[in-house]
Amino acid sequence: MTEIFERETILKEDARLVKNITPKSEDFSRWYIEIIRKAELSDYAPMKGMMVIRPYGYTIWENLQQRLDRRIKDTGHVNAYFPLFIPESFLQKEAEHVEGFAPEVAWVTRGGREELEERLAVRPTSEAIIGHMYARWIKSYRDLPVLINQWANIVRWEKTTRPFLRTTEFLWQEGHTAHATEAEAREETLKILDLYKDFSEQDMAVPVISGIKTGREKFAGAEETYCIEGLMADGRALQMGTSHFLGQHFSEVFNIRFEDRDQQLRYAWQTSWGASTRLVGALIMAHGDDSGLRLPPRVAPIQVVIVPISMGDWKTTVLPVARKLAQELKAAGLRVHLDDREEFTPGWKFSEWEMRGVPLRLEVGPRDIKQKQAIVVRRDSRKKIPIPLEAAASRLPGLLDEIQSALFDSALKFREDNTHEVTNYTDFQDILENRRGFIKTFWCGDAACEDKIKAETMATIRVVFPPLSSDEKRGRCILCGKESDRQVLFARAY
Ligand SMILES: [Zn+2]
């Protein structure tokens, strides 16, 4: 069998294997679940709503985590760790906070054989325990600002769950800062919002829209909540990170007071902000296609997979060349995997790594070696490029950068094609029913309109844009028609 023929049969086999995944246009939810299972990102735990993050999925999370952690530290924050359990009385101090989280809290009532005197909440978020500690640590303006982040697990007893997007236990980071002035705390809130936006767009290649939440959608206990929202490939929005301006709500109830420069006692101003394992879900849904994952190179566990074409005496001819190539690429700082398994055909390997979203595949066969080249196949465009073996280490980093931007560009184009400016409610309903996507329109600011729209269309206000300048054209509330300068983004969301 000639190698050309071998490559053709491989392609046919490739197509056949790939067909085992439900096309995303046919059933997006099923496609999502199948990708997660086949790519071995996570598995269902025996307890309802809980997931096991498998090594491939966890490596994606670690890569996201490392890159986000670097950004958090570069902006002056440090990491610390607070307890998993929070006394009930702490949670109850901030009325809106306890009200918001009560339906989702898991409680510990016994320790060993003894009933606890006071129930302990398994943290649904850590404002309360951190507020308590900050009251002990912050005494003077010299102690401010406090800029602490924690990487932790969180438990919220969710009724409906979906892997990575909403699970009873999840992993996240939560930043908690305290400042001497309102202006500083507001600046911090927006600085983190920008940090999340940059992280999402540059590291995850997912374009996002940032803005403020409505009173209905804000974090329980915050004065203002800002967020970044991505548009997933099924036209639904995903909130990918939130940054809260807490005002003095928590410092008043936890008594976080400091002596200011003028010897006056003042309450500290606070922020909190978080992003979670839900980001893995965003990567799947923003970039995946009918053949599986397409991972952005910056966070992909494997950036380049080398598949030796196993023909004839390939172990003595092809394999040594493939090994040497793997070493050179590793030395160039790339995350490389050499798939030298004997029990699988090259075609099987091609479709497996394609399904698992590896950005670049390098095929090396006997004929390639004679020509001192390898064939590079891009996961994003499937384009095949012959590349001289000796140039691989210098050429591939540039190709990975190209894939990173191509994924961003295609997600951005998708968002632009699926963002609709709408001025009447019939069109609004029609788009949500038949086309989905983001709807840019006006809202009067009345929660009654917001509630009615949600009840009738399942769409929520994802963000409120900054008020229009006086020379911009004002609009009318999409529901009641009242004149408004409040432009908003609606969508059905995860
Ligand atoms: Zn209205």
Side-chain angles (χ1 to χ4, degrees):
M1 194 175 9
T2 68
E3 200 182 334
I4 304 278
F5 182 70
E6 168 85 13
R7 286 246 166 98
E8 276 166 15
T9 44
I10 283 166
L11 286 179
K12 277 181 203 146
E13 195 183 351
D14 207 341
R16 187 178 58 77
L17 284 167
V18 160
K19 275 184 192 147
N20 293 342
I21 299 171
T22 304
K24 68 175 187 173
S25 53
E26 194 179 288
D27 186 340
F28 193 84
S29 300
R30 205 166 139 197
W31 169 86
Y32 179 76
I33 297 296
E34 283 180 13
I35 296 286
I36 286 175
R37 187 173 52 81
K38 290 198 171 195
E40 298 183 353
L41 299 180
S42 79
D43 201 353
Y44 293 104
M47 303 78 74
K48 189 182 168 292
M50 306 220 178
M51 70 168 172
V52 176
I53 307 177
R54 300 185 69 179
Y56 196 65
Y58 197 76
T59 309
I60 296 176
W61 172 241
E62 283 180 321
N63 291 343
L64 291 169
Q65 191 185 30
Q66 281 160 16
R67 297 188 79 98
L68 183 55
D69 193 62
R70 179 43 53 208
R71 288 173 183 270
I72 290 171
K73 286 175 179 158
D74 284 349
T75 43
H77 305 84
V78 288
N79 287 340
Y81 188 77
F82 294 85
L84 170 66
F85 301 127
I86 300 172
E88 184 168 22
S89 56
F90 284 31
L91 273 191
Q92 280 173 341
K93 283 189 179 174
E94 217 288 342
E96 203 179 309
H97 192 58
V98 67
E99 175 80 9
F101 282 100
E104 302 177 346
V105 174
W107 294 101
V108 177
T109 58
R110 289 171 72 96
R113 293 204 172 87
E114 280 169 35
E115 285 297 321
L116 301 182
E117 273 176 36
E118 181 179 5
R119 294 198 294 176
L120 296 173
V122 182
R123 64 177 159 225
T125 180
S126 302
E127 277 74 9
I129 186 74
I130 291 178
H132 176 84
M133 298 313 297
Y134 280 9
R136 291 171 52 172
W137 299 342
I138 298 168
K139 298 294 175 204
S140 150
Y141 69 90
R142 293 180 201 90
D143 301 324
L144 295 169
V146 173
L147 306 172
I148 288 180
N149 175 62
Q150 137 164 294
W151 289 95
N153 58 338
I154 288 294
V155 168
R156 293 180 189 170
W157 220 258
E158 300 279 1
K159 287 198 182 69
T160 46
T161 56
R162 203 189 297 248
F164 292 110
L165 298 177
R166 201 173 288 277
T167 48
T168 301
E169 182 186 6
F170 57 90
L171 306 179
W172 79 352
Q173 59 68 217
E174 49 180 322
H176 295 269
T177 68
H179 307 262
T181 66
E182 174 176 5
E184 246 185 64
R186 286 190 179 277
E187 191 191 323
E188 166 81 5
T189 311
L190 296 178
K191 182 197 280 178
I192 297 297
L193 185 69
D194 282 350
L195 184 155
Y196 283 153
K197 187 174 198 289
D198 274 0
F199 169 71
S200 173
E201 299 192 334
Q202 289 170 26
D203 293 334
M204 299 177 58
V206 178
V208 290
I209 289 180
S210 59
I212 192 168
K213 287 286 187 200
T214 66
R216 277 278 189 277
E217 301 283 330
K218 78 177 171 67
F219 175 75
E223 203 161 304
E224 287 173 349
T225 289
Y226 294 82
C227 67
I228 54 166
E229 297 276 330
L231 187 63
M232 302 297 105
D234 63 342
R236 285 170 76 174
L238 184 73
Q239 178 177 293
M240 292 169 58
T242 49
S243 184
H244 315 293
F245 171 64
L246 299 177
Q248 294 172 309
H249 297 195
F250 288 89
S251 57
E252 278 165 17
V253 297
F254 287 98
N255 203 25
I256 309 172
R257 280 197 293 179
F258 66 99
E259 194 182 274
D260 212 342
R261 287 167 197 275
D262 58 4
Q263 275 91 50
Q264 294 292 306
L265 273 181
R266 296 208 162 82
Y267 288 110
W269 295 84
Q270 289 183 273
T271 81
S272 69
W273 28 275
S276 73
T277 30
R278 156 173 269 221
L279 294 179
V280 178
L283 284 177
I284 303 168
M285 294 195 297
H287 301 307
D289 66 13
D290 284 348
S291 310
L293 296 171
R294 292 193 308 169
L295 294 174
R298 289 193 187 144
V299 296
I302 298 169
Q303 294 171 313
V304 184
V305 62
I306 302 176
V307 180
I309 307 298
S310 46
M311 297 173 64
D313 53 357
W314 71 285
K315 277 198 197 163
T316 52
T317 55
V318 177
L319 195 55
V321 175
R323 283 205 179 112
K324 184 164 171 275
L325 193 57
Q327 272 169 4
E328 284 169 10
L329 296 177
K330 268 180 200 155
L334 302 180
R335 296 190 287 276
V336 186
H337 176 69
L338 169 63
D339 188 354
D340 57 2
R341 292 174 295 176
E342 285 182 60
E343 62 275 31
F344 296 102
T345 64
W348 197 94
K349 291 176 185 177
F350 290 179
S351 62
E352 186 188 29
W353 294 116
E354 186 165 90
M355 184 264 297
R356 299 184 85 179
V358 176
L360 286 177
R361 175 172 87 225
L362 264 183
E363 305 171 11
V364 192
R367 195 172 58 119
D368 298 320
I369 286 173
K370 275 187 203 125
Q371 296 178 345
K372 295 193 168 54
Q373 65 166 27
I375 304 295
V376 188
V377 186
R378 283 174 63 150
R379 173 62 182 93
D380 63 326
S381 60
R382 293 210 167 81
K383 213 170 128 192
K384 292 192 168 197
I385 313 151
I387 194 167
L389 283 172
E390 60 186 20
S394 60
R395 291 269 300 275
L396 296 196
L399 264 182
L400 290 170
D401 286 345
E402 276 179 37
I403 295 174
Q404 184 82 25
S405 15
L407 286 175
F408 177 82
D409 292 347
S410 99
L412 184 63
K413 182 173 186 311
F414 176 82
R415 187 183 79 191
E416 281 165 359
D417 292 347
N418 289 281
T419 300
H420 318 277
E421 286 205 39
V422 167
T423 52
N424 81 72
Y425 195 51
T426 314
D427 292 349
F428 182 95
Q429 286 171 302
D430 177 63
I431 285 168
L432 285 169
E433 219 37 68
N434 302 309
R435 290 194 282 163
R436 301 258 181 107
F438 279 145
I439 297 182
K440 210 171 176 182
T441 186
F442 286 84
W443 166 60
C444 61
D446 189 342
C449 280
E450 187 183 5
D451 290 346
K452 187 150 187 267
I453 293 170
K454 186 178 179 182
E456 288 177 358
T457 67
M458 292 187 288
T460 48
I461 297 176
R462 307 315 301 161
V463 298
V464 182
F465 292 109
L468 299 177
S469 59
S470 52
D471 54 340
E472 280 176 292
K473 204 169 151 271
R474 294 160 70 89
R476 294 187 171 280
C477 173
I478 190 69
L479 190 70
C480 71
K482 199 170 136 191
E483 191 170 292
S484 168
D485 65 353
R486 213 176 305 234
Q487 208 170 20
V488 296
L489 198 66
F490 273 98
R492 286 189 187 163
Y494 280 97

